[in-house]
Amino acid sequence: MANIPTLTLNDGITIPQLGYGVFKVPPADTERAVSEALEIGYRHIDTAAIYGNEEGVGAAIAASGIPREELFITTKLWNDRHDGDEPNAAIAESLERLGLDRVDLYLVHWPTPARDNYVHAWEKMIELRDAGLTRSIGVSNHLVPHLERIVEATGVVPSVNQIELHPAYQQRDITAWAAEHDVKIESWGPLGQGKYDLFGAEPVAAAAQAHGKTPAQAVLRWHLQKGYIVFPKSVRRERLEENLDVFDFELTDAEVAAIDAMDAGDGSGRVSAHPDEVN
Ligand code: NAD
């Protein structure tokens, strides 16, 4: 089994740096896919209420027989559950579907700025953590002004910010803020969701070739060496194995720098929704 490194979050909780994300894994396939991932050696699963597959994740966890403390399970609060006591109901429903007493990490999925209720959502996250329903709390898709506002309002810094991040879209303003405030970055869409020719790009192809690895492995290695947490998605066993087989080589500083240079710096590399548009 791969020896997956862990990172320590700003609240002292440790998290496996590489996991398995199940966005778009169909609910009917989820138990099988997560069971395979656990069998292969994954111990960190990233799901969300909106993915509709928490039940499959829970069924795989229950069937695995793996001690609960060896697993790291993340789920997320959906956008229409920020108000009032809705977050309390939402996490209770997620826990029920997952068959768990608590998750390891609960995230505000999007700030939904047009609704202007993300500060309240963050206050509720603090309450849910204090009630023991999640060990750690973080956010997702929060831009620097959103981060500044929730910290200013509560004094509580999220443990992670899960954002779209891959070589063509590196969100350097957010990663700089995160480094300064000891917030770990989780890269979603780490392989660019297959929406541009990431694997054919020269810096990626050259690094892969130099180490006898696949382009996907070179990109995952880049995320890991940048200090980011990743959970690439696949429903194919051979890819689940490939994506975990990234701990026996290291990119050189020059290879990392060449991949760093793939972001044009104008935001044009983004492949999915912008947080201001999701409400
Ligand atoms: P990804 O970059 O992981 O891309 C997934 C696609 O890459 C798969 O469809 C598969 O076809 C391909 N792929 C996977 N492994 C491969 C390999 N070894 N070789 C070639 N192709 C390969 O994109 P993603 O699934 O969107 O992101 C990963 C996880 O991030 C999600 O499953 C989810 O957990 C999380 N996520 C979070 C948000 C958010 O708003 N917080 C949004 C999207 C995704």
Side-chain angles (χ1 to χ4, degrees):
M1 192 192 294
N3 202 3
I4 304 170
T6 55
L7 297 179
T8 302
L9 304 177
N10 60 21
D11 51 14
I13 303 291
T14 56
I15 182 169
Q17 198 181 355
L18 190 145
Y20 176 37
V22 295
F23 177 45
K24 291 198 173 156
V25 176
D29 292 346
T30 304
E31 181 179 354
R32 177 205 54 84
V34 174
S35 294
E36 272 184 7
L38 295 174
E39 221 176 276
I40 292 166
Y42 288 84
R43 290 294 179 267
H44 167 183
I45 308 294
D46 184 273
T47 185
I50 195 68
Y51 300 170
N53 56 19
E54 288 170 312
E55 268 152 354
V57 172
I61 293 170
S64 74
I66 298 168
R68 175 67 184 92
E69 62 275 14
E70 289 179 22
L71 297 171
F72 193 99
I73 309 299
T74 298
T75 195
K76 312 183 190 91
L77 175 71
W78 187 241
N79 303 344
D80 59 359
R81 312 293 303 266
H82 290 184
D83 288 329
D85 287 337
E86 275 294 291
N88 306 60
I91 197 170
E93 290 161 23
S94 283
L95 290 172
E96 172 82 26
R97 288 189 290 263
L98 288 162
L100 300 175
D101 296 333
R102 65 176 182 180
V103 284
D104 298 287
L105 179 60
Y106 198 44
L107 305 180
V108 178
H109 206 145
W110 294 87
T112 65
R115 297 176 187 230
D116 196 23
N117 53 7
Y118 59 90
V119 171
H120 174 75
W122 185 241
E123 288 165 349
K124 295 301 284 184
M125 299 296 274
I126 298 163
E127 187 184 311
L128 299 176
R129 181 197 60 191
D130 292 350
L133 300 172
T134 178
R135 295 168 70 220
S136 189
I137 49 174
V139 295
S140 179
N141 300 304
H142 279 46
L143 304 176
V144 171
H146 308 137
L147 293 161
E148 282 177 341
R149 194 165 158 213
I150 63 171
V151 173
E152 162 87 22
T154 65
V156 178
V157 181
S159 61
V160 309
N161 189 14
Q162 182 178 126
I163 55 173
E164 179 183 335
L165 198 153
H166 41 84
Y169 190 56
Q170 297 179 38
Q171 305 225 57
R172 293 206 170 95
D173 53 339
I174 301 180
T175 58
W177 190 95
E180 203 179 306
H181 293 82
D182 193 18
V183 174
K184 293 284 185 263
I185 292 291
E186 297 191 325
S187 306
W188 66 251
L191 303 174
Q193 297 186 325
K195 291 180 179 166
Y196 65 97
D197 185 20
L198 173 60
F199 298 158
E202 206 276 329
V204 171
Q209 200 185 8
H211 295 278
K213 289 286 184 175
T214 66
Q217 289 171 322
V219 173
L220 293 173
R221 193 64 223 172
W222 174 82
H223 285 279
L224 296 170
Q225 288 182 219
K226 297 295 283 184
Y228 306 146
I229 297 160
V230 272
F231 22 78
K233 175 255 174 183
S234 178
V235 287
R236 290 165 49 175
R237 189 182 179 105
E238 63 277 14
R239 282 185 172 169
L240 288 171
E241 286 173 348
E242 178 184 331
N243 294 343
L244 195 59
D245 183 19
V246 291
F247 299 109
D248 61 351
F249 74 112
E250 202 166 325
L251 301 180
T252 64
D253 290 348
E255 287 163 346
V256 169
I259 298 176
D260 284 350
M262 287 174 61
D263 184 335
D266 57 2
S268 59
R270 180 165 61 81
V271 299
S272 196
H274 188 278
D276 283 340
E277 295 163 1
V278 178
N279 286 290

